[in-house]
Amino acid sequence: RSESDAAIILPGGCGTFAEMMELITWKQLGLYLKPIVILNTNSYFDSLLQALQQAAEQNFMRVQHTAIWRVAQTPEEALRLVLETPLWDTSIRRFAAI
């Protein structure tokens, strides 16, 4: 965790999904504060992103947590988002404690 500058999630299988959700959970808990960018090549992650949005809309996830990740369509955009995305605020830890 501490060795990385950011995480860029590439299309993949079950292991990729598991690791992505673990990293999102770490950020939600304030354990990982760096940018998470999902590279949505060929709309690969569309269904997952819709499910996460639905979770927030139906109050199974805090709406604030949809800001945990950013979505890029190209590798160039992913790199730009890594550079532009501020570190996650450590004050988010108080939400995790509730």
Side-chain angles (χ1 to χ4, degrees):
R1 300 187 289 219
S2 63
E3 295 83 21
S4 72
D5 293 323
I8 298 177
I9 311 299
L10 306 175
C14 292
T16 299
F17 293 130
E19 290 177 10
M20 176 178 64
M21 296 311 291
E22 182 176 23
L23 194 55
I24 287 172
T25 301
W26 286 352
K27 193 164 179 177
Q28 175 184 336
L29 296 172
L31 301 174
Y32 184 80
L33 304 175
K34 297 167 184 175
I36 298 173
V37 178
I38 299 171
L39 182 54
N40 195 23
T41 303
N42 296 325
S43 302
Y44 182 81
F45 288 107
D46 279 357
S47 296
L48 177 62
L49 294 167
Q50 289 170 341
L52 290 169
Q53 185 61 41
Q54 182 178 0
E57 290 170 359
Q58 294 182 7
N59 297 314
F60 290 101
M61 179 173 79
R62 292 181 184 272
V63 174
Q64 304 95 303
H65 290 151
T66 61
I68 286 174
W69 61 87
R70 307 282 304 269
V71 180
Q73 304 304 316
T74 65
E76 295 80 13
E77 183 184 10
L79 292 174
R80 181 180 55 77
L81 288 173
V82 163
L83 296 172
E84 292 177 358
T85 302
L87 294 180
W88 197 243
D89 189 345
T90 58
S91 68
I92 196 68
R93 291 177 181 148
R94 70 174 178 240
F95 288 114
I98 296 175

PDB file of all heavy atoms in Angstrom, residues 60-92:
ATOM      1  N   PHE A  60     -27.106   1.476   0.321  1.00  0.00           N
ATOM      2  CA  PHE A  60     -26.282   0.373   0.804  1.00  0.00           C
ATOM      3  C   PHE A  60     -24.821   0.804   0.909  1.00  0.00           C
ATOM      4  O   PHE A  60     -23.991   0.068   1.432  1.00  0.00           O
ATOM      5  CB  PHE A  60     -26.404  -0.847  -0.114  1.00  0.00           C
ATOM      6  CG  PHE A  60     -27.747  -1.499  -0.010  1.00  0.00           C
ATOM      7  CD1 PHE A  60     -28.713  -1.269  -0.971  1.00  0.00           C
ATOM      8  CD2 PHE A  60     -28.048  -2.325   1.061  1.00  0.00           C
ATOM      9  CE1 PHE A  60     -29.967  -1.869  -0.877  1.00  0.00           C
ATOM     10  CE2 PHE A  60     -29.295  -2.924   1.167  1.00  0.00           C
ATOM     11  CZ  PHE A  60     -30.260  -2.691   0.198  1.00  0.00           C
ATOM     12  N   MET A  61     -24.536   1.985   0.409  1.00  0.00           N
ATOM     13  CA  MET A  61     -23.200   2.558   0.441  1.00  0.00           C
ATOM     14  C   MET A  61     -23.383   4.066   0.540  1.00  0.00           C
ATOM     15  O   MET A  61     -24.338   4.616  -0.022  1.00  0.00           O
ATOM     16  CB  MET A  61     -22.474   2.191  -0.866  1.00  0.00           C
ATOM     17  CG  MET A  61     -21.081   2.728  -1.001  1.00  0.00           C
ATOM     18  SD  MET A  61     -20.261   2.081  -2.478  1.00  0.00           S
ATOM     19  CE  MET A  61     -20.978   3.103  -3.749  1.00  0.00           C
ATOM     20  N   ARG A  62     -22.509   4.724   1.253  1.00  0.00           N
ATOM     21  CA  ARG A  62     -22.598   6.182   1.358  1.00  0.00           C
ATOM     22  C   ARG A  62     -22.302   6.815  -0.002  1.00  0.00           C
ATOM     23  O   ARG A  62     -21.369   6.409  -0.691  1.00  0.00           O
ATOM     24  CB  ARG A  62     -21.600   6.706   2.375  1.00  0.00           C
ATOM     25  CG  ARG A  62     -21.911   6.310   3.796  1.00  0.00           C
ATOM     26  CD  ARG A  62     -20.859   6.903   4.716  1.00  0.00           C
ATOM     27  NE  ARG A  62     -21.063   6.465   6.062  1.00  0.00           N
ATOM     28  CZ  ARG A  62     -21.857   7.078   6.945  1.00  0.00           C
ATOM     29  NH1 ARG A  62     -22.509   8.155   6.594  1.00  0.00           N
ATOM     30  NH2 ARG A  62     -21.977   6.612   8.163  1.00  0.00           N
ATOM     31  N   VAL A  63     -23.060   7.825  -0.354  1.00  0.00           N
ATOM     32  CA  VAL A  63     -22.850   8.531  -1.617  1.00  0.00           C
ATOM     33  C   VAL A  63     -21.440   9.112  -1.676  1.00  0.00           C
ATOM     34  O   VAL A  63     -20.802   9.103  -2.736  1.00  0.00           O
ATOM     35  CB  VAL A  63     -23.921   9.633  -1.807  1.00  0.00           C
ATOM     36  CG1 VAL A  63     -23.628  10.464  -3.035  1.00  0.00           C
ATOM     37  CG2 VAL A  63     -25.308   9.017  -1.902  1.00  0.00           C
ATOM     38  N   GLN A  64     -20.905   9.571  -0.528  1.00  0.00           N
ATOM     39  CA  GLN A  64     -19.545  10.128  -0.502  1.00  0.00           C
ATOM     40  C   GLN A  64     -18.519   9.109  -0.994  1.00  0.00           C
ATOM     41  O   GLN A  64     -17.477   9.478  -1.533  1.00  0.00           O
ATOM     42  CB  GLN A  64     -19.118  10.549   0.921  1.00  0.00           C
ATOM     43  CG  GLN A  64     -20.011  11.506   1.619  1.00  0.00           C
ATOM     44  CD  GLN A  64     -21.004  10.805   2.525  1.00  0.00           C
ATOM     45  OE1 GLN A  64     -21.768   9.967   2.080  1.00  0.00           O
ATOM     46  NE2 GLN A  64     -21.027  11.169   3.797  1.00  0.00           N
ATOM     47  N   HIS A  65     -18.804   7.846  -0.802  1.00  0.00           N
ATOM     48  CA  HIS A  65     -17.834   6.814  -1.168  1.00  0.00           C
ATOM     49  C   HIS A  65     -17.757   6.575  -2.669  1.00  0.00           C
ATOM     50  O   HIS A  65     -16.811   5.933  -3.136  1.00  0.00           O
ATOM     51  CB  HIS A  65     -18.129   5.519  -0.411  1.00  0.00           C
ATOM     52  CG  HIS A  65     -17.836   5.644   1.046  1.00  0.00           C
ATOM     53  ND1 HIS A  65     -18.506   4.927   2.009  1.00  0.00           N
ATOM     54  CD2 HIS A  65     -16.945   6.425   1.719  1.00  0.00           C
ATOM     55  CE1 HIS A  65     -18.039   5.260   3.210  1.00  0.00           C
ATOM     56  NE2 HIS A  65     -17.102   6.167   3.043  1.00  0.00           N
ATOM     57  N   THR A  66     -18.687   7.114  -3.434  1.00  0.00           N
ATOM     58  CA  THR A  66     -18.568   6.983  -4.894  1.00  0.00           C
ATOM     59  C   THR A  66     -17.439   7.864  -5.428  1.00  0.00           C
ATOM     60  O   THR A  66     -17.041   7.716  -6.579  1.00  0.00           O
ATOM     61  CB  THR A  66     -19.887   7.323  -5.615  1.00  0.00           C
ATOM     62  OG1 THR A  66     -20.243   8.683  -5.340  1.00  0.00           O
ATOM     63  CG2 THR A  66     -21.009   6.384  -5.198  1.00  0.00           C
ATOM     64  N   ALA A  67     -16.898   8.727  -4.585  1.00  0.00           N
ATOM     65  CA  ALA A  67     -15.752   9.555  -4.975  1.00  0.00           C
ATOM     66  C   ALA A  67     -14.427   8.843  -4.710  1.00  0.00           C
ATOM     67  O   ALA A  67     -13.366   9.407  -4.976  1.00  0.00           O
ATOM     68  CB  ALA A  67     -15.789  10.884  -4.225  1.00  0.00           C
ATOM     69  N   ILE A  68     -14.491   7.629  -4.211  1.00  0.00           N
ATOM     70  CA  ILE A  68     -13.271   6.875  -3.906  1.00  0.00           C
ATOM     71  C   ILE A  68     -12.479   6.575  -5.166  1.00  0.00           C
ATOM     72  O   ILE A  68     -11.261   6.567  -5.150  1.00  0.00           O
ATOM     73  CB  ILE A  68     -13.626   5.575  -3.149  1.00  0.00           C
ATOM     74  CG1 ILE A  68     -14.024   5.919  -1.705  1.00  0.00           C
ATOM     75  CG2 ILE A  68     -12.497   4.551  -3.214  1.00  0.00           C
ATOM     76  CD1 ILE A  68     -14.527   4.737  -0.902  1.00  0.00           C
ATOM     77  N   TRP A  69     -13.150   6.312  -6.249  1.00  0.00           N
ATOM     78  CA  TRP A  69     -12.493   5.940  -7.500  1.00  0.00           C
ATOM     79  C   TRP A  69     -12.841   6.937  -8.592  1.00  0.00           C
ATOM     80  O   TRP A  69     -13.835   7.640  -8.513  1.00  0.00           O
ATOM     81  CB  TRP A  69     -12.902   4.526  -7.936  1.00  0.00           C
ATOM     82  CG  TRP A  69     -14.378   4.412  -8.180  1.00  0.00           C
ATOM     83  CD1 TRP A  69     -15.047   4.676  -9.341  1.00  0.00           C
ATOM     84  CD2 TRP A  69     -15.379   4.049  -7.223  1.00  0.00           C
ATOM     85  NE1 TRP A  69     -16.401   4.496  -9.173  1.00  0.00           N
ATOM     86  CE2 TRP A  69     -16.626   4.113  -7.878  1.00  0.00           C
ATOM     87  CE3 TRP A  69     -15.342   3.670  -5.885  1.00  0.00           C
ATOM     88  CZ2 TRP A  69     -17.824   3.812  -7.244  1.00  0.00           C
ATOM     89  CZ3 TRP A  69     -16.543   3.374  -5.257  1.00  0.00           C
ATOM     90  CH2 TRP A  69     -17.758   3.443  -5.918  1.00  0.00           C
ATOM     91  N   ARG A  70     -11.982   6.978  -9.581  1.00  0.00           N
ATOM     92  CA  ARG A  70     -12.222   7.763 -10.793  1.00  0.00           C
ATOM     93  C   ARG A  70     -12.223   6.772 -11.943  1.00  0.00           C
ATOM     94  O   ARG A  70     -11.626   5.697 -11.839  1.00  0.00           O
ATOM     95  CB  ARG A  70     -11.122   8.800 -10.999  1.00  0.00           C
ATOM     96  CG  ARG A  70     -10.845   9.730  -9.826  1.00  0.00           C
ATOM     97  CD  ARG A  70     -11.816  10.859  -9.633  1.00  0.00           C
ATOM     98  NE  ARG A  70     -11.998  11.721 -10.768  1.00  0.00           N
ATOM     99  CZ  ARG A  70     -11.306  12.822 -11.034  1.00  0.00           C
ATOM    100  NH1 ARG A  70     -10.335  13.198 -10.226  1.00  0.00           N
ATOM    101  NH2 ARG A  70     -11.557  13.542 -12.097  1.00  0.00           N
ATOM    102  N   VAL A  71     -12.858   7.124 -13.038  1.00  0.00           N
ATOM    103  CA  VAL A  71     -12.963   6.222 -14.189  1.00  0.00           C
ATOM    104  C   VAL A  71     -12.334   6.880 -15.405  1.00  0.00           C
ATOM    105  O   VAL A  71     -12.622   8.042 -15.715  1.00  0.00           O
ATOM    106  CB  VAL A  71     -14.444   5.871 -14.488  1.00  0.00           C
ATOM    107  CG1 VAL A  71     -14.542   4.940 -15.684  1.00  0.00           C
ATOM    108  CG2 VAL A  71     -15.100   5.241 -13.255  1.00  0.00           C
ATOM    109  N   ALA A  72     -11.476   6.136 -16.073  1.00  0.00           N
ATOM    110  CA  ALA A  72     -10.809   6.595 -17.292  1.00  0.00           C
ATOM    111  C   ALA A  72     -11.184   5.655 -18.437  1.00  0.00           C
ATOM    112  O   ALA A  72     -11.411   4.463 -18.225  1.00  0.00           O
ATOM    113  CB  ALA A  72      -9.298   6.609 -17.107  1.00  0.00           C
ATOM    114  N   GLN A  73     -11.204   6.217 -19.645  1.00  0.00           N
ATOM    115  CA  GLN A  73     -11.501   5.416 -20.835  1.00  0.00           C
ATOM    116  C   GLN A  73     -10.229   5.000 -21.578  1.00  0.00           C
ATOM    117  O   GLN A  73     -10.257   4.044 -22.354  1.00  0.00           O
ATOM    118  CB  GLN A  73     -12.432   6.189 -21.776  1.00  0.00           C
ATOM    119  CG  GLN A  73     -13.728   6.640 -21.131  1.00  0.00           C
ATOM    120  CD  GLN A  73     -14.525   5.503 -20.516  1.00  0.00           C
ATOM    121  OE1 GLN A  73     -14.680   4.432 -21.103  1.00  0.00           O
ATOM    122  NE2 GLN A  73     -15.026   5.715 -19.304  1.00  0.00           N
ATOM    123  N   THR A  74      -9.142   5.726 -21.352  1.00  0.00           N
ATOM    124  CA  THR A  74      -7.882   5.451 -22.052  1.00  0.00           C
ATOM    125  C   THR A  74      -6.733   5.447 -21.040  1.00  0.00           C
ATOM    126  O   THR A  74      -6.848   6.058 -19.965  1.00  0.00           O
ATOM    127  CB  THR A  74      -7.582   6.530 -23.114  1.00  0.00           C
ATOM    128  OG1 THR A  74      -7.358   7.780 -22.444  1.00  0.00           O
ATOM    129  CG2 THR A  74      -8.711   6.663 -24.125  1.00  0.00           C
ATOM    130  N   PRO A  75      -5.628   4.797 -21.379  1.00  0.00           N
ATOM    131  CA  PRO A  75      -4.467   4.839 -20.479  1.00  0.00           C
ATOM    132  C   PRO A  75      -3.982   6.267 -20.231  1.00  0.00           C
ATOM    133  O   PRO A  75      -3.598   6.602 -19.099  1.00  0.00           O
ATOM    134  CB  PRO A  75      -3.414   4.018 -21.224  1.00  0.00           C
ATOM    135  CG  PRO A  75      -4.192   3.094 -22.091  1.00  0.00           C
ATOM    136  CD  PRO A  75      -5.410   3.881 -22.509  1.00  0.00           C
ATOM    137  N   GLU A  76      -4.028   7.110 -21.245  1.00  0.00           N
ATOM    138  CA  GLU A  76      -3.594   8.503 -21.080  1.00  0.00           C
ATOM    139  C   GLU A  76      -4.470   9.234 -20.076  1.00  0.00           C
ATOM    140  O   GLU A  76      -3.975   9.983 -19.221  1.00  0.00           O
ATOM    141  CB  GLU A  76      -3.602   9.226 -22.432  1.00  0.00           C
ATOM    142  CG  GLU A  76      -2.618   8.692 -23.449  1.00  0.00           C
ATOM    143  CD  GLU A  76      -3.085   7.426 -24.169  1.00  0.00           C
ATOM    144  OE1 GLU A  76      -4.277   7.057 -24.084  1.00  0.00           O
ATOM    145  OE2 GLU A  76      -2.224   6.787 -24.806  1.00  0.00           O
ATOM    146  N   GLU A  77      -5.765   9.020 -20.160  1.00  0.00           N
ATOM    147  CA  GLU A  77      -6.686   9.642 -19.207  1.00  0.00           C
ATOM    148  C   GLU A  77      -6.450   9.107 -17.796  1.00  0.00           C
ATOM    149  O   GLU A  77      -6.514   9.852 -16.816  1.00  0.00           O
ATOM    150  CB  GLU A  77      -8.137   9.405 -19.628  1.00  0.00           C
ATOM    151  CG  GLU A  77      -9.140  10.080 -18.714  1.00  0.00           C
ATOM    152  CD  GLU A  77     -10.586   9.779 -19.075  1.00  0.00           C
ATOM    153  OE1 GLU A  77     -10.851   8.899 -19.922  1.00  0.00           O
ATOM    154  OE2 GLU A  77     -11.457  10.432 -18.478  1.00  0.00           O
ATOM    155  N   ALA A  78      -6.155   7.810 -17.683  1.00  0.00           N
ATOM    156  CA  ALA A  78      -5.881   7.216 -16.373  1.00  0.00           C
ATOM    157  C   ALA A  78      -4.678   7.889 -15.717  1.00  0.00           C
ATOM    158  O   ALA A  78      -4.725   8.242 -14.537  1.00  0.00           O
ATOM    159  CB  ALA A  78      -5.641   5.712 -16.507  1.00  0.00           C
ATOM    160  N   LEU A  79      -3.622   8.093 -16.477  1.00  0.00           N
ATOM    161  CA  LEU A  79      -2.441   8.761 -15.934  1.00  0.00           C
ATOM    162  C   LEU A  79      -2.741  10.200 -15.536  1.00  0.00           C
ATOM    163  O   LEU A  79      -2.289  10.675 -14.498  1.00  0.00           O
ATOM    164  CB  LEU A  79      -1.293   8.705 -16.938  1.00  0.00           C
ATOM    165  CG  LEU A  79      -0.710   7.311 -17.177  1.00  0.00           C
ATOM    166  CD1 LEU A  79       0.319   7.358 -18.300  1.00  0.00           C
ATOM    167  CD2 LEU A  79      -0.116   6.743 -15.906  1.00  0.00           C
ATOM    168  N   ARG A  80      -3.534  10.889 -16.355  1.00  0.00           N
ATOM    169  CA  ARG A  80      -3.913  12.265 -16.031  1.00  0.00           C
ATOM    170  C   ARG A  80      -4.716  12.302 -14.726  1.00  0.00           C
ATOM    171  O   ARG A  80      -4.471  13.139 -13.857  1.00  0.00           O
ATOM    172  CB  ARG A  80      -4.723  12.877 -17.177  1.00  0.00           C
ATOM    173  CG  ARG A  80      -5.132  14.330 -16.921  1.00  0.00           C
ATOM    174  CD  ARG A  80      -5.932  14.926 -18.068  1.00  0.00           C
ATOM    175  NE  ARG A  80      -7.119  14.177 -18.434  1.00  0.00           N
ATOM    176  CZ  ARG A  80      -8.275  14.183 -17.753  1.00  0.00           C
ATOM    177  NH1 ARG A  80      -8.393  14.900 -16.659  1.00  0.00           N
ATOM    178  NH2 ARG A  80      -9.309  13.481 -18.181  1.00  0.00           N
ATOM    179  N   LEU A  81      -5.653  11.364 -14.575  1.00  0.00           N
ATOM    180  CA  LEU A  81      -6.462  11.331 -13.348  1.00  0.00           C
ATOM    181  C   LEU A  81      -5.609  11.028 -12.118  1.00  0.00           C
ATOM    182  O   LEU A  81      -5.858  11.567 -11.040  1.00  0.00           O
ATOM    183  CB  LEU A  81      -7.589  10.304 -13.492  1.00  0.00           C
ATOM    184  CG  LEU A  81      -8.716  10.703 -14.441  1.00  0.00           C
ATOM    185  CD1 LEU A  81      -9.684   9.540 -14.622  1.00  0.00           C
ATOM    186  CD2 LEU A  81      -9.440  11.947 -13.956  1.00  0.00           C
ATOM    187  N   VAL A  82      -4.614  10.161 -12.276  1.00  0.00           N
ATOM    188  CA  VAL A  82      -3.702   9.876 -11.158  1.00  0.00           C
ATOM    189  C   VAL A  82      -3.036  11.165 -10.697  1.00  0.00           C
ATOM    190  O   VAL A  82      -2.932  11.434  -9.497  1.00  0.00           O
ATOM    191  CB  VAL A  82      -2.647   8.822 -11.560  1.00  0.00           C
ATOM    192  CG1 VAL A  82      -1.472   8.824 -10.596  1.00  0.00           C
ATOM    193  CG2 VAL A  82      -3.273   7.444 -11.644  1.00  0.00           C
ATOM    194  N   LEU A  83      -2.595  11.966 -11.638  1.00  0.00           N
ATOM    195  CA  LEU A  83      -1.897  13.207 -11.297  1.00  0.00           C
ATOM    196  C   LEU A  83      -2.833  14.281 -10.747  1.00  0.00           C
ATOM    197  O   LEU A  83      -2.432  15.105  -9.930  1.00  0.00           O
ATOM    198  CB  LEU A  83      -1.155  13.739 -12.518  1.00  0.00           C
ATOM    199  CG  LEU A  83      -0.024  12.841 -13.043  1.00  0.00           C
ATOM    200  CD1 LEU A  83       0.514  13.380 -14.363  1.00  0.00           C
ATOM    201  CD2 LEU A  83       1.070  12.691 -12.009  1.00  0.00           C
ATOM    202  N   GLU A  84      -4.083  14.288 -11.196  1.00  0.00           N
ATOM    203  CA  GLU A  84      -5.037  15.336 -10.812  1.00  0.00           C
ATOM    204  C   GLU A  84      -5.827  15.026  -9.545  1.00  0.00           C
ATOM    205  O   GLU A  84      -6.365  15.935  -8.918  1.00  0.00           O
ATOM    206  CB  GLU A  84      -6.043  15.569 -11.945  1.00  0.00           C
ATOM    207  CG  GLU A  84      -5.451  16.191 -13.176  1.00  0.00           C
ATOM    208  CD  GLU A  84      -6.479  16.332 -14.304  1.00  0.00           C
ATOM    209  OE1 GLU A  84      -7.643  15.898 -14.131  1.00  0.00           O
ATOM    210  OE2 GLU A  84      -6.109  16.872 -15.351  1.00  0.00           O
ATOM    211  N   THR A  85      -5.915  13.766  -9.175  1.00  0.00           N
ATOM    212  CA  THR A  85      -6.770  13.376  -8.054  1.00  0.00           C
ATOM    213  C   THR A  85      -6.044  13.626  -6.734  1.00  0.00           C
ATOM    214  O   THR A  85      -4.953  13.101  -6.516  1.00  0.00           O
ATOM    215  CB  THR A  85      -7.160  11.887  -8.169  1.00  0.00           C
ATOM    216  OG1 THR A  85      -7.827  11.687  -9.421  1.00  0.00           O
ATOM    217  CG2 THR A  85      -8.074  11.474  -7.037  1.00  0.00           C
ATOM    218  N   PRO A  86      -6.637  14.414  -5.864  1.00  0.00           N
ATOM    219  CA  PRO A  86      -5.986  14.675  -4.561  1.00  0.00           C
ATOM    220  C   PRO A  86      -6.020  13.429  -3.684  1.00  0.00           C
ATOM    221  O   PRO A  86      -6.839  12.523  -3.887  1.00  0.00           O
ATOM    222  CB  PRO A  86      -6.838  15.789  -3.964  1.00  0.00           C
ATOM    223  CG  PRO A  86      -8.153  15.685  -4.638  1.00  0.00           C
ATOM    224  CD  PRO A  86      -7.908  15.111  -6.005  1.00  0.00           C
ATOM    225  N   LEU A  87      -5.138  13.405  -2.695  1.00  0.00           N
ATOM    226  CA  LEU A  87      -5.162  12.318  -1.726  1.00  0.00           C
ATOM    227  C   LEU A  87      -6.481  12.346  -0.970  1.00  0.00           C
ATOM    228  O   LEU A  87      -7.067  13.411  -0.746  1.00  0.00           O
ATOM    229  CB  LEU A  87      -3.993  12.452  -0.744  1.00  0.00           C
ATOM    230  CG  LEU A  87      -2.592  12.293  -1.320  1.00  0.00           C
ATOM    231  CD1 LEU A  87      -1.561  12.454  -0.210  1.00  0.00           C
ATOM    232  CD2 LEU A  87      -2.432  10.964  -2.020  1.00  0.00           C
ATOM    233  N   TRP A  88      -6.945  11.186  -0.591  1.00  0.00           N
ATOM    234  CA  TRP A  88      -8.181  11.045   0.179  1.00  0.00           C
ATOM    235  C   TRP A  88      -7.965  11.644   1.555  1.00  0.00           C
ATOM    236  O   TRP A  88      -6.913  11.443   2.166  1.00  0.00           O
ATOM    237  CB  TRP A  88      -8.514   9.563   0.264  1.00  0.00           C
ATOM    238  CG  TRP A  88      -9.898   9.191   0.662  1.00  0.00           C
ATOM    239  CD1 TRP A  88     -10.230   8.489   1.782  1.00  0.00           C
ATOM    240  CD2 TRP A  88     -11.107   9.415  -0.050  1.00  0.00           C
ATOM    241  NE1 TRP A  88     -11.584   8.279   1.813  1.00  0.00           N
ATOM    242  CE2 TRP A  88     -12.154   8.839   0.697  1.00  0.00           C
ATOM    243  CE3 TRP A  88     -11.421  10.063  -1.244  1.00  0.00           C
ATOM    244  CZ2 TRP A  88     -13.479   8.887   0.293  1.00  0.00           C
ATOM    245  CZ3 TRP A  88     -12.740  10.113  -1.640  1.00  0.00           C
ATOM    246  CH2 TRP A  88     -13.750   9.540  -0.892  1.00  0.00           C
ATOM    247  N   ASP A  89      -8.904  12.365   2.043  1.00  0.00           N
ATOM    248  CA  ASP A  89      -8.808  13.040   3.335  1.00  0.00           C
ATOM    249  C   ASP A  89      -8.897  12.020   4.477  1.00  0.00           C
ATOM    250  O   ASP A  89      -9.811  11.205   4.511  1.00  0.00           O
ATOM    251  CB  ASP A  89      -9.950  14.054   3.442  1.00  0.00           C
ATOM    252  CG  ASP A  89      -9.830  14.955   4.644  1.00  0.00           C
ATOM    253  OD1 ASP A  89      -9.051  14.670   5.567  1.00  0.00           O
ATOM    254  OD2 ASP A  89     -10.553  15.970   4.667  1.00  0.00           O
ATOM    255  N   THR A  90      -7.959  12.091   5.393  1.00  0.00           N
ATOM    256  CA  THR A  90      -7.964  11.137   6.522  1.00  0.00           C
ATOM    257  C   THR A  90      -9.192  11.296   7.412  1.00  0.00           C
ATOM    258  O   THR A  90      -9.506  10.396   8.171  1.00  0.00           O
ATOM    259  CB  THR A  90      -6.690  11.298   7.376  1.00  0.00           C
ATOM    260  OG1 THR A  90      -6.617  12.637   7.848  1.00  0.00           O
ATOM    261  CG2 THR A  90      -5.452  10.922   6.605  1.00  0.00           C
ATOM    262  N   SER A  91      -9.902  12.408   7.296  1.00  0.00           N
ATOM    263  CA  SER A  91     -11.102  12.592   8.125  1.00  0.00           C
ATOM    264  C   SER A  91     -12.191  11.581   7.758  1.00  0.00           C
ATOM    265  O   SER A  91     -13.133  11.388   8.523  1.00  0.00           O
ATOM    266  CB  SER A  91     -11.641  14.011   7.984  1.00  0.00           C
ATOM    267  OG  SER A  91     -12.167  14.235   6.686  1.00  0.00           O
ATOM    268  N   ILE A  92     -12.039  10.919   6.604  1.00  0.00           N
ATOM    269  CA  ILE A  92     -13.009   9.902   6.210  1.00  0.00           C
ATOM    270  C   ILE A  92     -13.054   8.768   7.241  1.00  0.00           C
ATOM    271  O   ILE A  92     -14.046   8.072   7.361  1.00  0.00           O
ATOM    272  CB  ILE A  92     -12.693   9.358   4.794  1.00  0.00           C
ATOM    273  CG1 ILE A  92     -13.909   8.604   4.225  1.00  0.00           C
ATOM    274  CG2 ILE A  92     -11.490   8.453   4.796  1.00  0.00           C
ATOM    275  CD1 ILE A  92     -15.076   9.467   3.914  1.00  0.00           C
TER     276      ILE A  92
END
